[in-house]
Amino acid sequence: MEIVFLLMLILIMGFALGSGYPVAFSLPGAAIITILLAAGTGYLFTGDVDAYFASGGPGQWLSSGVTNLRGVYWEPERDTLIAIPLFIFMGIMLQRSKIAEDLLVTMAQLFGPVPGGLGISVVIVGALLAATTGIVGATVVAMGLISLPAMMRNGYSNSLSSGIIASSGTLGQIIPPSIVLIILADQLASAADQAGQARQALYKEVTGEIVMPSEFGVLSTSAGEMFLGALVPGLVLVGLYILLILAIAIIRPRLAPAVPFEGDYDMRFLGKVLLAMVPPLALIVLVLGSIIGGIATVNQAGAIGAVGALVMAGYRLHPGGRLQFVPAIMALLGLAIITFTLANYNTNVQNIQSADDTFGINIAIIGVVLTVIAIAWSGYRAYISEGALAGVMVETAKTTSLVFIILLGAAMLTAAFRAFGGEELVKHYLEGLPGGFWTKFAIVMAVIFVLGFFLDFIEIAVVVVPIVAPILLADPEANITAVWLGVMIGLNLQTSFLTPPFGFALFYLRGVASKAVKTIQIYIGVLPFIGLQLLSLVIVAYFPPLVNYLPMRSSLTAETAPPPVNPALQYCIENYVSQEFGENGSAIRSAIDRARGLDLSYLPSNVQSDFERGLDKAEESFDLMDEIETIEAGLEEEAIAYRPLHKEVRALQAQARRIESELEDLRTQISRGWGDTEALQARVERMEAERQEYLDAVPAEWDEAEAAYSRLTANDRRARGLYRRTVDQAYGPLVELIAYIESADALAEIQAPLDALAEDAAGMDGETADVRFTEVERLFGDVAGGNDIRGLLSDARRQIDARTPNVERALDSVEEAQEVFASELAWRTRATDELLPELQAYEAAISGTIGLRQQPKLPQEQAIFVAECNSKHRDISLSF
């Protein structure tokens, strides 16, 4: 029965949207009406309001809805949504202040004499507007009003002009910072958590192991990573557009003629170009650069963009005169002062320690005051200039409210969809498809493509993505990242916005285009650009590193990068070490041999044996890496025959699990007395027989094949685990020995306090001993390898402070501490000259391979390799 209400939910929502009822109310309205009908029907016919719900009931739906509503506003993990109004304000302000128009006119004059130059200018400006606005409708309308008349006047084909404008206007979907990318990141972060839990459950079910290796975990995403991931695909798309326009201009010049500039390319023109191009480009670089460089979060970058747009509007909306650029100059001067101060002074007000700190804070205050005055002055100018600021604020509030209301409504709709079992139906349908992950992915992308004709990107992002994304992310066959899935969905939505007859961008352009431009011309004009967008989808699908590499590299090279010992990095780190062993293994072995030839005779026996054991472990790591490579080659060879069988059996078992899930629901209904019990019991028996048929269809050779492959994977895990322990044991004693030797000077500085303590120990009482001994013990605790001496001093202190003091034994312990101290200082001092340079050379030779796991963070070379390695999707399905 819940299927009926699920269909009712979809039909009510579709009818409301089709009738023109606002989306913000259609989504929650459909959910509320259907939930009430299902609860009322269940109460009337069964006496239980939960009867016609697949899981829970109206109470659980309400609880889930409240949780989702609260999450939109109060969950710290979702604070990225704060960036939405900031970026919206930035884009609308740049458009209202006509900075975008100046940019287009200037670019057209600059590139016009080039064949197709005007069209290329439109594409470039469209990309720049996309990097400031991120709203398709606003960009297409602005481009249509500004550039279409100019292209028609200069003899451009109406079809080509329409195609260029419509396609350039949709770049805001994919070029960061984009509103759709922020919303997708928010939805995919939650979907990745669900997918991770589902993959963990699948691993436990099929392998019987409780803990899944962390390298099989689902990678989540953030708005900053989405921006980085979408950057290269967006630039690829822009490049394809430009190449198409150039090709058309060269092959058929009359469709895209050159537009000669009637003025002079003089210093005046250069100044005009710089004034039109440099500020918006600088703002874009500042916003994106601060995110990419890890200087600012997405929210902070949005604030930078909003303030920057306001300052630019302050001089653009001004009628002119000597003071036109004064606020902008003040802002730049203030930022320069703040940057200089942060780079050269300590500006922590709570930690002022010198006159220089006070001076730096005073300079910073001057910079802040200048910047605040500049922002306020620019805001006042925008406020009095035809109410521009008020208009921008109103439009920002409207657009932001629309986004958040849709988010809230979608949360209610999604909760209702799940309450009627819709998510399970979708999951079972997709998992039942032949062809594995890529079939599921193609179906989902086709559905999103079609929905893009009728729904805005916000509705698709918040309604469809939470349902299908966990299913795709959980599939271990492709093992895709959330950022890659988000970029693919963004590209897909961009394509559907252009596709006739329902593409939103076509309607936007039709609304502002001249009557001389026929609708059929707009449709024809976008076709080649749709082809390029589909090509970009194929390119990104085939080359995942185009999306994944920049986020991975940014993460691994940042100050907050995970340490190399992180389990999720081990596979790629071992690939790097394997490659280095193959290319530079002889040099590393020679370094080990040189270290083995060092004179260690005067070192303490335990230090000497630990170091020699570390050398043995370093040599052993080569054999272990060879073993790993041999096992991996065996796995690849075995997988050729095992993969088809594994795929067949797992598909049968998935069908059996799907039936078992439905059987659990039916048994629950029977136990509660819902519906016709006899009919339900007959259905259970039929489904149990069907389930058994799937299990009986498992080939007889499956158990033996699975056991053989499992033994290989177990050997692989054993070899890798042994290798990791071995290299840690090889590098640890070396680092420890270097630390001992480098601490010789620090150890020597404690001799005077130790001698004074020894001299006074005989006459100390317990209280004095506690103070004096503890102070010296702390000094030895701060020196590498000083714990033995510290322990002897601690024994002496306890003997003096005991209930029955034993001064003689205490003095013996102090004397022994002095002897150990003298011995330690002697060998460390000698080793400083004789051993330390050689040990440091040995450490440098192995730190990037054998010692890589023990580094505080990945060095640049290794980080780049690991980022490239991790950016490729690796099929891990045979481990499930």
Side-chain angles (χ1 to χ4, degrees):
M1 190 68 180
E2 59 271 10
I3 300 296
V4 174
F5 290 103
L6 180 63
L7 292 174
M8 188 180 298
L9 173 70
I10 296 172
L11 290 174
I12 292 175
M13 181 187 68
F15 176 78
L17 292 173
S19 64
Y21 200 67
V23 174
F25 303 112
S26 297
L27 302 183
I32 293 170
I33 292 172
T34 312
I35 290 290
L36 289 176
L37 287 174
T41 305
Y43 182 76
L44 287 175
F45 290 97
T46 68
D48 187 347
V49 294
D50 298 343
Y52 299 130
F53 288 83
S55 60
Q60 184 173 333
W61 169 82
L62 183 61
S63 173
S64 175
V66 169
T67 301
N68 289 336
L69 299 182
R70 185 188 299 116
V72 171
Y73 288 108
W74 288 296
E75 280 186 13
E77 294 82 4
R78 301 186 70 176
D79 66 344
T80 302
L81 295 176
I82 298 172
I84 291 176
L86 297 172
F87 283 119
I88 291 173
F89 178 92
M90 173 183 168
I92 296 176
M93 180 59 78
L94 290 178
Q95 288 184 341
R96 285 288 187 93
S97 60
K98 299 185 178 179
I99 290 174
E101 183 176 346
D102 293 344
L103 186 62
L104 179 60
V105 172
T106 305
M107 292 286 288
Q109 293 172 345
L110 187 63
F111 292 104
V114 178
L118 181 57
I120 293 173
S121 300
V122 172
V123 171
I124 294 174
V125 174
L128 295 177
L129 286 180
T132 57
T133 307
I135 304 173
V136 171
T139 307
V140 172
V141 169
M143 298 287 288
L145 291 172
I146 299 169
S147 58
L148 185 57
M151 298 178 81
M152 294 175 67
R153 282 197 308 272
N154 288 285
Y156 269 67
S157 161
N158 286 348
S159 295
L160 180 60
S161 301
S162 302
I164 292 173
I165 293 169
S167 57
S168 301
T170 59
L171 287 171
Q173 290 288 97
I174 197 63
I175 291 183
S178 163
I179 303 301
V180 67
L181 293 178
I182 294 175
I183 296 176
L184 281 172
D186 177 67
Q187 299 297 319
L188 287 170
S190 176
D193 291 340
Q194 297 176 45
Q197 295 172 8
R199 186 178 288 185
Q200 170 71 49
L202 177 63
Y203 186 83
K204 180 180 178 182
E205 183 172 352
V206 300
T207 66
E209 298 182 16
I210 298 175
V211 179
M212 180 181 72
S214 57
E215 64 180 297
F216 295 159
V218 178
L219 292 179
S220 186
T221 187
S222 65
E225 290 178 338
M226 287 292 292
F227 287 175
L228 286 172
L231 187 59
V232 173
L235 294 177
V236 167
L237 199 54
V238 171
L240 290 174
Y241 287 173
I242 292 174
L243 289 176
L244 174 64
I245 296 169
L246 278 173
I248 292 174
I250 293 172
I251 297 172
R252 302 188 67 182
R254 65 181 184 85
L255 297 181
V259 181
F261 177 50
E262 298 177 356
D264 298 323
Y265 290 107
D266 53 15
M267 294 303 295
R268 183 186 181 98
F269 178 74
L270 177 61
K272 181 181 177 182
V273 170
L274 293 177
L275 182 61
M277 293 182 60
V278 171
L281 285 174
L283 182 61
I284 293 167
V285 170
L286 188 62
V287 171
L288 293 181
S290 62
I291 297 172
I292 294 171
I295 300 171
T297 64
V298 174
N299 296 338
Q300 293 164 347
I304 293 170
V307 170
L310 182 63
V311 172
M312 291 164 60
Y315 68 74
R316 177 59 182 83
L317 295 172
H318 194 268
R322 290 181 300 175
L323 299 179
Q324 180 177 4
F325 297 102
V326 171
I329 294 172
M330 287 178 62
L332 291 174
L333 181 60
L335 290 175
I337 292 173
I338 293 171
T339 303
F340 172 79
T341 307
L342 291 173
N344 294 279
Y345 295 94
N346 174 23
T347 56
N348 187 341
V349 179
Q350 296 180 340
N351 192 29
I352 298 175
Q353 298 179 350
S354 65
D356 282 347
D357 293 345
T358 304
F359 180 71
I361 290 173
N362 290 331
I363 295 178
I365 291 173
I366 294 172
V368 170
V369 169
L370 283 175
T371 306
V372 170
I373 292 174
I375 295 170
W377 194 350
S378 300
Y380 175 72
R381 284 182 171 181
Y383 178 74
I384 64 174
S385 299
E386 301 178 0
L389 181 59
V392 171
M393 295 291 284
V394 169
E395 288 300 315
T396 301
K398 286 181 179 178
T399 307
T400 305
S401 300
L402 174 66
V403 171
F404 277 89
I405 290 174
I406 291 175
L407 281 171
L408 297 176
M412 299 173 69
L413 181 74
T414 303
F417 189 81
R418 288 172 176 154
F420 294 122
E423 188 174 32
E424 287 299 314
L425 284 176
V426 172
K427 180 181 179 181
H428 293 157
Y429 168 72
L430 291 176
E431 289 179 346
L433 292 171
F437 169 83
W438 292 106
T439 300
K440 292 188 283 189
F441 179 74
I443 295 293
V444 168
M445 295 297 281
V447 170
I448 291 175
F449 180 83
V450 173
L451 289 176
F453 294 158
F454 310 103
L455 300 178
D456 198 357
F457 69 86
I458 301 175
E459 293 92 87
I460 294 174
V462 300
V463 174
V464 179
V465 171
I467 295 171
V468 299
I471 300 170
L472 297 177
L473 290 173
D475 195 315
E477 180 182 346
N479 194 29
I480 60 173
T481 61
V483 64
W484 179 85
L485 179 61
V487 171
M488 289 294 290
I489 292 173
L491 283 170
N492 189 359
L493 289 173
Q494 183 179 352
T495 304
S496 64
F497 272 29
L498 277 182
T499 306
F502 303 113
F504 279 14
L506 308 181
F507 295 147
Y508 294 140
L509 182 58
R510 176 68 276 173
V512 297
S514 165
K515 293 182 179 179
V517 180
K518 308 297 183 187
T519 301
I520 190 64
Q521 291 178 320
I522 297 176
Y523 287 177
I524 293 172
V526 297
L527 292 179
F529 293 93
I530 293 172
L532 292 180
Q533 290 190 336
L534 293 175
L535 176 61
S536 70
L537 268 172
V538 174
I539 291 173
V540 173
Y542 193 72
F543 298 106
L546 289 175
V547 174
N548 294 328
Y549 177 70
L550 278 181
M552 293 283 184
R553 176 166 177 166
S554 176
S555 171
L556 294 176
T557 57
E559 289 298 322
T560 56
V565 75
N566 187 305
L569 304 178
Q570 298 314 301
Y571 177 81
C572 288
I573 284 178
E574 284 152 15
N575 284 352
Y576 174 82
V577 174
S578 173
Q579 176 180 293
E580 284 296 300
F581 278 1
E583 296 176 359
N584 303 309
S586 58
I588 298 172
R589 288 180 185 271
S590 296
I592 297 172
D593 291 338
R594 285 196 303 272
R596 194 178 290 280
L598 296 174
D599 180 13
L600 308 176
S601 58
Y602 56 89
L603 270 62
S605 58
N606 62 323
V607 175
Q608 181 178 343
S609 61
D610 286 348
F611 181 72
E612 290 174 345
R613 189 161 49 249
L615 294 176
D616 294 338
K617 294 292 184 180
E619 288 185 343
E620 188 180 339
S621 65
F622 285 88
D623 296 332
L624 289 173
M625 182 55 69
D626 289 341
E627 183 182 356
I628 290 172
E629 292 173 0
T630 301
I631 294 174
E632 192 168 12
L635 281 170
E636 291 177 0
E637 183 179 351
E638 184 71 19
I640 297 174
Y642 180 66
R643 188 180 301 278
L645 179 63
H646 176 275
K647 194 169 185 179
E648 177 188 355
V649 173
R650 292 305 187 217
L652 292 169
Q653 292 174 340
Q655 292 289 1
R657 287 197 301 272
R658 174 184 61 80
I659 295 174
E660 181 60 33
S661 176
E662 295 178 9
L663 282 170
E664 289 179 5
D665 293 338
L666 288 175
R667 290 172 186 140
T668 300
Q669 294 180 32
I670 293 172
S671 65
R672 295 183 179 181
W674 295 343
D676 188 341
T677 305
E678 292 184 2
L680 290 174
Q681 185 61 45
R683 184 180 173 191
V684 165
E685 293 173 359
R686 289 195 302 272
M687 292 181 68
E688 286 177 339
E690 183 182 358
R691 174 180 174 276
Q692 191 59 44
E693 286 178 6
Y694 280 117
L695 295 177
D696 292 342
V698 173
E701 67 271 19
W702 163 246
D703 289 338
E704 183 179 349
E706 183 189 26
Y709 194 81
S710 296
R711 282 193 295 271
L712 282 176
T713 57
N715 288 336
D716 182 65
R717 288 195 299 272
R718 177 198 55 77
R720 291 182 185 274
L722 181 58
Y723 165 81
R724 293 165 192 172
R725 290 192 298 273
T726 299
V727 293
D728 290 347
Q729 293 165 1
Y731 190 68
L734 170 63
V735 174
E736 190 176 69
L737 178 55
I738 291 175
Y740 286 171
I741 298 173
E742 288 179 336
S743 66
D745 291 340
L747 188 65
E749 292 176 0
I750 312 177
Q751 183 167 7
L754 177 62
D755 291 344
L757 184 68
E759 184 177 346
D760 300 338
M764 289 184 187
D765 57 23
E767 185 176 349
T768 304
D770 271 345
V771 175
R772 293 282 303 278
F773 273 81
T774 300
E775 182 181 346
V776 179
E777 287 172 34
R778 185 166 53 249
L779 294 176
F780 280 106
D782 293 336
V783 174
N787 284 332
D788 288 345
I789 303 172
R790 182 182 183 182
L792 290 168
L793 294 177
S794 180
D795 289 343
R797 172 171 51 82
R798 285 193 294 269
Q799 290 296 333
I800 296 174
D801 194 31
R803 181 172 298 178
T804 305
N806 190 334
V807 177
E808 185 177 348
R809 289 185 60 182
L811 293 177
D812 290 342
S813 295
V814 172
E815 184 179 353
E816 185 179 354
Q818 287 181 299
E819 292 172 358
V820 174
F821 174 85
S823 173
E824 288 285 328
L825 184 59
W827 77 259
R828 294 186 197 208
T829 303
R830 178 180 175 183
T832 301
D833 297 326
E834 297 181 6
L835 280 182
L836 186 58
E838 292 293 336
L839 293 175
Q840 289 173 335
Y842 174 48
E843 194 273 339
I846 70 169
S847 62
T849 51
I850 294 173
L852 184 56
R853 278 170 46 87
Q854 297 303 310
Q855 302 305 312
K857 63 178 293 186
L858 284 170
Q860 184 78 3
E861 178 185 344
Q862 288 85 338
I864 292 173
F865 180 94
V866 173
E868 182 181 359
C869 172
N870 271 335
S871 66
K872 301 170 185 174
H873 295 153
R874 181 164 64 102
D875 183 357
I876 58 173
S877 60
L878 294 185
S879 298
F880 286 79

